[in-house]
Amino acid sequence: MKTIIFATTNAGKVREVEEIIAHSDLRIISLKEAGIVADVEENGTTFEENAQIKARAIRELIAEKPEYRDAVVLADDSGLVIDYLGGEPGIYSARYLGEDTPYDYKNKVILQRLEGVSDEQRSARFVCAMAAALPDGELLSVTGVMEGRIAHEIKGENGFGYDPIFYMPEFGMTSAQLDPEQKNAVSHRGKALRLMKERLDENISCQ
Ligand code: IMP
């Protein structure tokens, strides 16, 4: 049985990862479950760099724990990229306007910054980079993207964060109006996870 330690404190993310990549030979545990306390500084300049920094740092930490010597460490970094705002909030999505600021406020500010801007210029995407640090030092890296545009008003109760202002033309609604299964099927995180599952299946079976 292979163990994957997912470098997140977000229980919702652990559940999503479990739903997509867990199988009988693979168990997913959170940092907390692994008894690891770590506050890794995400000082990269891209989503990919940040995910890799996190995965590598936690892998180094657990190398000292004999029970996790063979574990894989998985880490992700995600955010919203708005073209009209030069890519903001991007890698600063969680910290944009303050880490503890309610998303209702953050979303209103973004709508104000795009007031009067045409639909064509409101293009945006959610990006999720995922990195896996393997026990032999190898690093796997994948990225998933979900395209859309910034809506004109806040809509929807599902999802979290910037979902209520992320309009998806193919569904005619925001990602906060999709049900969770619909969102998982097309989301940046869902895509990155499925790509990572393929890479892990190839690599783990070779070890
Ligand atoms: P992370 O946990 O450091 O990857 O932070 C990602 C941040 O990007 C979150 O706090 C949200 O602000 C935003 N974000 C990432 N994925 C989503 C999503 O699926 N919906 C809404 N906001 C998202």
Side-chain angles (χ1 to χ4, degrees), residues 8 10 13 16 42 47 54 76-80 89-96 99 103 106 126-129 146 159-164 166 175 183 187-189:
T8 183
N10 182 331
K13 280 191 185 175
E16 262 185 46
E42 293 176 26
F47 293 109
K54 241 187 290 183
D76 77 334
D77 194 45
S78 59
L80 175 65
I91 57 168
Y92 302 107
S93 290
R95 290 167 271 177
Y96 179 62
E99 188 109 30
Y103 274 90
K106 298 191 194 201
F126 277 118
V127 179
C128 175
M146 175 166 81
F160 66 101
Y162 300 104
D163 280 323
F166 190 78
S175 47
K183 187 180 162 194
S187 80
H188 48 313
R189 200 166 302 102

Side-chain angles (χ1 to χ4, degrees), residues 16-157:
E16 262 185 46
V17 176
E18 261 170 357
E19 280 166 15
I20 298 180
I21 66 174
H23 54 73
S24 52
D25 281 340
L26 211 59
R27 89 184 157 121
I28 318 282
I29 59 173
S30 65
L31 280 184
K32 199 171 156 197
E33 287 169 298
I36 296 160
V37 182
D39 190 13
V40 180
E41 199 192 342
E42 293 176 26
N43 54 7
T45 56
T46 60
F47 293 109
E48 285 77 10
E49 267 178 30
N50 279 338
Q52 290 168 12
I53 288 169
K54 241 187 290 183
R56 221 186 256 125
I58 307 286
R59 181 56 235 168
E60 277 167 23
L61 269 180
I62 63 160
E64 292 159 20
K65 295 188 172 234
E67 68 271 39
Y68 295 129
R69 203 176 296 130
D70 297 328
V72 171
V73 175
L74 191 63
D76 77 334
D77 194 45
S78 59
L80 175 65
V81 174
I82 303 174
D83 293 325
Y84 187 78
L85 301 182
E88 278 186 54
I91 57 168
Y92 302 107
S93 290
R95 290 167 271 177
Y96 179 62
L97 301 172
E99 188 109 30
D100 297 326
T101 305
Y103 274 90
D104 198 43
Y105 178 75
K106 298 191 194 201
N107 286 336
K108 279 187 186 136
V109 170
I110 290 177
L111 291 188
Q112 273 164 12
R113 292 181 71 187
L114 268 74
E115 213 167 273
V117 173
S118 69
D119 282 350
E120 292 71 45
Q121 289 184 291
R122 302 177 82 91
S123 54
R125 65 204 57 79
F126 277 118
V127 179
C128 175
M130 209 159 261
L134 308 189
D136 63 3
E138 195 177 344
L139 203 62
L140 309 177
S141 189
V142 298
T143 303
V145 174
M146 175 166 81
E147 297 283 347
R149 64 177 186 240
I150 301 304
H152 291 273
E153 52 186 0
I154 290 173
K155 262 193 189 157
E157 307 289 330

